[in-house]
Amino acid sequence: MIPTGPIDSEPPGFRSSSEQQAILRDTLHAAGVELGAYDCSIIDWLTVSPGWEWGTVATIASWVQRAGGAGADPLATDATEYRVHLPENGGETLLVRRQALAHGAGWAVSTYGRGGGLAWTKEGWQDPISALSVDRLFCWPTAVTAVSEARRALANP
C-alpha cells in the first residue's frame, strides 16, 4: 500500500521491480504528469535492479499522491468497484474490483465485451472469470494500474 499521510517509518512490504515501475508510472499519470523519455529512465533507475527498495519507491509515490491531491475524495479510498467507460475502445466498459481486504489488497479488471466477460490478467485475457484463482484474478496492485493495463491491452489487440 502507498501511504496516504505523513510517513514516520519505512513503509513495509516488498514489490517486484515491474510492480514498482507500474505503481510509480500510474501514480504520476494519475497526478497528471506527462512522462518523457528521461522521466522513464529515472523510473527505471529507481525500480530496476539494483534499484531502490520498496520503502523508497512507496515514499516517492506517496509524495506525488499527496502533492497532487490524490485521495482527496474520501469515497475513492473506500470504493470496492469502479466502472470505467472507454469511448476510445468502441464504448467498452471496464469493471474494476478490489479484492476483499481480509484476503489481500489486489485489484481485478474485466469487461463485458469480448464475448461475454473476460478478465485482463498478467497472462492476458482470461475466460471464464469464475475459473481463475484469486491470485490470478486480483493481480494488479492498484485500480489505476488495472485500468492502465487493460487500456493498453485493448489498444493493442
Side-chain angles (χ1 to χ4, degrees):
M1 281 297 234
I2 297 172
T4 58
I7 302 168
D8 294 320
S9 60
E10 182 176 4
F14 171 81
R15 300 288 185 159
S16 69
S17 290
S18 61
E19 288 176 307
Q20 289 186 41
Q21 279 181 316
I23 289 168
L24 204 47
R25 285 177 196 266
D26 292 342
T27 300
L28 290 163
H29 176 74
V33 177
E34 185 177 339
L35 299 175
Y38 187 73
D39 295 316
C40 292
S41 71
I42 295 301
I43 291 172
D44 290 345
W45 174 75
L46 285 167
T47 60
V48 177
S49 185
W52 292 91
E53 68 280 345
W54 166 243
T56 300
V57 174
T59 300
I60 293 168
S62 176
W63 292 340
V64 171
Q65 283 184 346
R66 289 184 278 152
D73 178 359
L75 292 177
T77 57
D78 294 331
T80 58
E81 181 176 300
Y82 294 98
R83 293 182 192 274
V84 180
H85 185 68
L86 303 176
E88 70 271 19
N89 289 95
E92 207 152 357
T93 298
L94 297 177
L95 181 59
V96 186
R97 291 186 173 146
R98 184 187 333 207
Q99 184 175 8
L101 292 177
H103 304 289
W107 288 83
V109 62
S110 59
T111 180
Y112 296 113
R114 307 205 172 241
L118 299 174
W120 178 249
T121 70
K122 292 183 178 181
E123 294 92 28
W125 291 107
Q126 302 291 317
D127 177 43
I129 294 172
S130 61
L132 293 173
S133 68
V134 171
D135 290 344
R136 287 180 63 208
L137 183 60
F138 293 97
C139 62
W140 305 111
T142 67
V144 174
T145 303
V147 171
S148 295
E149 292 295 327
R151 276 192 165 153
R152 268 194 280 270
L154 290 168
N156 301 306

